[in-house]
Amino acid sequence: EPKGTASLRATIQRLFPRRTLPELLTETNGWTGFADHLTSLNPQVRQIPYLTARKLAAVMALGMNIGLEIMANAVAGMSYEELACVADWYIREDTLRQAIVELVSFLTRLPVSRHWGDGTTSSSDGQLFGVQARTLYARINPHAPERGASMNVYTHVADNLSPFYSRLIESTAGEAAYILD
């Protein structure tokens, strides 16, 4: 190991301490308030204790595809019923889009993001993922991994490295129309 490596490693670890995903989401929400955009369908909905924590747990459960029941079993003090209520009333495509806009706006305001670009141009590309189950977007594609059924996750990334939009498309669909969309 070159001289000074241990010192550099210690400095980097101090600057970038390890965080669990719940800690990272909570910290990011503290900076951005993105969970505030996950609003209720019913403005007169009853007060839910620790609502922000439940929103973040539901987002994690759905985003990691582990489901609300497994998340409820993994987190003390949160029941499946509470997480299902939060997911049903607060987490919808329109509210998620607003939360993502908040996150991308925050990234764009960071001075370091300006080193890559000003966020006015983007690059878009699809990634094929093989799937084992029947789904709405899965298709047999000769270019897919192992030539089986696959889905295409089409992602748009701004020049400042902020991913600002993703969507599932059929793996056999042409991507040109999605670029224009």
Side-chain angles (χ1 to χ4, degrees):
E1 233 179 48
K3 196 176 203 174
T5 302
S7 172
L8 179 60
R9 184 181 301 117
T11 301
I12 291 172
Q13 287 173 342
R14 260 193 327 279
L15 291 172
F16 301 101
R18 289 188 181 268
R19 298 274 193 272
T20 64
L21 185 55
E23 290 171 335
L24 184 60
L25 278 176
T26 301
E27 189 173 337
T28 302
N29 185 57
W31 298 333
T32 65
F34 76 90
D36 295 339
H37 293 283
L38 304 174
T39 57
S40 175
L41 277 170
N42 181 357
Q44 297 175 345
V45 71
R46 65 178 172 81
Q47 289 293 73
I48 299 173
Y50 306 106
L51 178 59
T52 300
R54 284 173 168 68
K55 287 179 185 178
L56 297 178
V59 165
M60 281 179 51
L62 298 171
M64 295 186 311
N65 202 26
I66 63 171
L68 299 171
E69 188 171 349
I70 291 173
M71 181 61 77
N73 291 332
V75 179
M78 290 190 196
S79 70
Y80 168 78
E81 290 76 19
E82 291 168 331
L83 290 179
C85 174
V86 167
D88 288 345
W89 284 91
Y90 292 87
I91 301 174
R92 303 178 309 280
E93 185 174 351
D94 62 315
T95 61
L96 282 172
R97 184 136 348 271
Q98 292 170 1
I100 291 168
V101 165
E102 184 67 44
L103 291 168
V104 169
S105 296
F106 177 79
L107 287 172
T108 303
R109 289 189 304 267
L110 292 175
V112 71
S113 75
R114 290 188 209 106
H115 291 285
W116 292 296
D118 60 8
T120 58
T121 60
S122 73
S123 175
S124 306
D125 196 16
Q127 291 179 285
L128 288 177
F129 291 93
V131 294
Q132 302 299 316
R134 288 178 168 257
T135 66
L136 181 62
Y137 292 103
R139 298 286 185 270
I140 300 296
N141 186 324
H143 304 290
E146 301 177 15
R147 300 200 189 287
S150 64
M151 294 186 330
N152 192 348
V153 178
Y154 199 70
T155 305
H156 304 269
V157 180
D159 60 2
N160 61 6
L161 304 182
S162 301
F164 61 90
Y165 187 71
S166 291
R167 72 180 292 176
L168 288 175
I169 62 174
E170 292 178 10
S171 64
T172 56
E175 296 176 355
Y178 295 96
I179 293 172
L180 296 173
D181 189 29

